[in-house]
Amino acid sequence: MALPSAYAAAVESGSKDIPYCRKQKSLGLLCSSIFLSLYDREGIETIGLDDAASKLGVERRRIYDIVNVLSRKAKNRYTWKGFGAIPKALEDLKKEGFRENGSAAADTSCSEKVSDDDEDEMCSYVNSLSQNDKSDSSSIPKYAVPSKSGDNRKEKSLGLLTQNFVKLFLCTDMDMISLDDAAKLLLGDGKHTSMTTRTKVRRLYDIANVLSSMKFIEKTHHPETRKPAFRWLGLNGKPDNGTANSMVLSESKKRMFGTDLTNTTAKRFKVDEDAHHVLKPHNPTRVKHETESEDEKTRSGVKSYHYGPFAPANVPKVGSSHDDKGKTVVDWESLASTYRPQYHNQALKDLFSHYVEAWKSWYSEVADKSPIQLMS
DNA sequence: GACTCCCGCCATCGA
DNA sequence: TCGATGGCGGGAGTC
């Protein structure tokens, strides 16, 4: 996850004379910022559109793109039910997907909305799909949205597209699929002109960004063609305790597509560093990736702990501290003050405080379990 | 040059 | 009627 520094940079870039970088406003980053950090907490049940937009410093239109995978509760408010309801929703969606294609017996109905984000829409979509279409039952399911006059706009919604995209993974034996193939499958027979496919692929990119930021899928390459493709992670990619912090502690060490500034070029960071010196040392994502190769080495032997977003680049892992070679004494207080970002945005300050507390909590917990030599 | 995906126009929805 | 919503494609950034 790329919070909060990447987001801070995104917010700041909009107001100052820093060269604009569009990746700082990517849907994946926004998704992480909104749901995984700002809203995926105890007591948060609804998300205000204006609230999210102002907190993140982006226009409402971008929030729409993300909340399309939520269920709208009322004008300007969207429900947020956390990650807890996802397993059931996925199961429901899978059953429905099979049922739609006549390849499995399942009589689950989506009579009520059961989940959050994508799956919520998935569920609601199933109803409309089952009413409208029983088209094709070939070996590869066709999740093309049925065309029905007067309902065209709804059929093409991002939410429905998301559901069908996920169904491709859930209800087929395809381990990975390219967006191009997905677009053709989702378009259905005889519909994929180059233009419609291109449009659909663009939307799938949006969806893939959101899904990958939530760790449902990951970007990969087809082993034969080397073409970009996406692999389903499902709940394996989900955090185990449903907190924002846990997202960054997930097992995957691969670069996350669309979730943050991972593919931001050094060139651009140079610009950012010049303009925002204070943010420089504290881009957790950068830290993570810059140290990735080093990380791999240290990980190979000992099962180490995964640092969260605020792990300094030069800090040895706790697990590796048991290694005799790695007894580096770290001035934690010094690090904390050195790397503490200065946010101008109140929401960011709050968010950062939240992470600091989480970090302290985690640190004291780990320190208790594995007494290592640390300066206090 | 292909891939990626943000931006914002504008059609549609719905209060 | 008008503000809210969101599909859509242009085109810029990135690889």
Side-chain angles (χ1 to χ4, degrees):
Chain A
M1 186 158 61
L3 275 173
S5 62
Y7 162 63
V11 172
E12 303 246 332
S13 70
S15 59
K16 299 192 175 178
D17 52 351
I18 304 166
Y20 166 71
C21 173
R22 66 178 187 156
K23 284 191 177 177
Q24 292 175 346
K25 290 187 178 181
S26 73
L27 283 185
L29 178 58
L30 284 176
C31 182
S32 299
S33 302
I34 298 171
F35 301 122
L36 307 186
S37 298
L38 289 178
Y39 292 107
D40 189 35
R41 302 182 193 180
E42 288 284 324
I44 300 291
E45 291 182 352
T46 63
I47 296 170
L49 206 63
D50 292 322
D51 179 58
S54 63
K55 277 183 177 175
L56 293 173
V58 297
E59 55 275 44
R60 290 161 63 98
R61 180 65 196 84
R62 301 282 73 77
I63 306 297
Y64 284 134
D65 286 338
I66 296 171
V67 297
N68 270 340
V69 296
L70 290 171
S71 64
R72 193 153 67 99
K73 187 172 188 176
K75 178 180 165 184
N76 256 321
R77 294 217 75 80
Y78 292 77
T79 56
W80 173 247
K81 298 178 182 176
F83 286 106
I86 286 177
K88 184 180 188 312
L90 282 178
E91 184 62 26
D92 286 345
L93 184 68
K94 188 174 183 177
K95 286 177 181 175
E96 289 295 333
F98 280 131
R99 193 175 66 175
E100 294 306 321
N101 287 278
S103 52
D107 60 353
T108 308
S109 69
C110 281
S111 56
E112 62 174 357
K113 291 191 176 284
V114 293
S115 73
D116 60 326
D117 54 77
D118 316 292
E119 289 66 44
D120 202 310
E121 290 290 331
M122 292 166 197
C123 190
S124 62
Y125 168 60
V126 168
N127 284 330
S128 62
L129 184 65
S130 56
Q131 289 167 6
N132 293 335
D133 184 41
K134 304 288 181 195
S135 57
D136 194 316
S137 61
S138 61
S139 58
I140 295 180
K142 297 289 193 299
Y143 292 112
V145 179
S147 61
K148 190 179 178 182
S149 60
D151 218 12
N152 201 37
R153 190 177 169 87
K154 206 168 188 176
E155 290 168 2
K156 294 178 180 178
S157 74
L158 214 54
L160 301 194
L161 192 58
T162 304
Q163 297 157 27
N164 288 328
F165 182 53
V166 172
K167 277 184 181 178
L168 288 177
F169 291 107
L170 292 180
C171 304
T172 72
D173 54 1
M174 288 184 287
D175 183 46
M176 66 175 67
I177 187 169
S178 71
L179 294 188
D180 203 50
D181 290 341
K184 286 171 182 169
L185 285 171
L186 295 174
L187 276 168
D189 296 330
K191 287 183 180 178
H192 41 272
T193 64
S194 63
M195 194 60 224
T196 54
T197 303
R198 182 174 149 81
T199 299
K200 194 68 79 177
V201 166
R202 277 201 282 244
R203 298 289 80 76
L204 287 173
Y205 275 123
D206 294 339
I207 292 168
N209 257 333
V210 174
L211 292 181
S212 61
S213 80
M214 292 185 150
K215 310 261 189 308
F216 280 116
I217 61 175
E218 72 170 356
K219 192 185 182 188
T220 181
H221 291 276
H222 194 281
E224 294 169 5
T225 64
R226 301 304 304 163
K227 277 202 151 195
F230 286 87
R231 189 173 59 187
W232 180 250
L233 296 176
L235 297 176
N236 295 329
K238 298 298 296 173
D240 51 4
N241 64 1
T243 66
N245 274 340
S246 69
M247 294 298 285
V248 299
L249 297 175
S250 68
E251 284 297 315
S252 174
K253 298 291 288 182
K254 297 189 89 173
R255 195 185 78 169
M256 301 304 174
F257 168 75
T259 58
D260 47 33
L261 303 182
T262 50
N263 47 0
T264 302
T265 63
K267 182 182 175 183
R268 182 168 64 246
F269 268 115
K270 188 173 190 309
V271 174
D272 285 348
E273 287 164 10
D274 292 343
H276 280 258
H277 182 69
V278 68
L279 292 175
K280 174 184 172 181
H282 185 71
N283 188 321
T285 310
R286 288 177 59 210
V287 168
K288 180 178 177 183
H289 295 282
E290 283 165 359
T291 58
E292 213 163 85
S293 57
E294 194 70 25
D295 208 351
E296 287 296 327
K297 296 173 191 169
T298 56
R299 255 161 42 101
S300 58
V302 185
K303 181 174 171 58
S304 58
Y305 196 89
H306 289 229
Y307 272 96
F310 299 100
N314 60 340
V315 173
K317 291 180 178 301
V318 172
S320 64
S321 67
H322 294 292
D323 188 338
D324 290 340
K325 301 171 186 173
K327 287 187 177 177
T328 307
V329 177
V330 181
D331 183 348
W332 292 91
E333 287 301 320
S334 166
L335 276 172
S337 59
T338 302
Y339 291 122
R340 188 183 299 275
Q342 306 294 317
Y343 297 120
H344 300 289
N345 184 304
Q346 182 58 42
L348 282 178
K349 287 181 180 175
D350 295 342
L351 195 57
F352 181 68
S353 298
H354 171 73
Y355 275 114
V356 168
E357 291 306 313
W359 165 266
K360 285 178 181 173
S361 169
W362 167 83
Y363 172 69
S364 51
E365 185 180 331
V366 171
D368 286 344
K369 288 180 180 175
S370 50
I372 53 177
Q373 188 177 1
L374 294 170
M375 286 182 68
S376 57

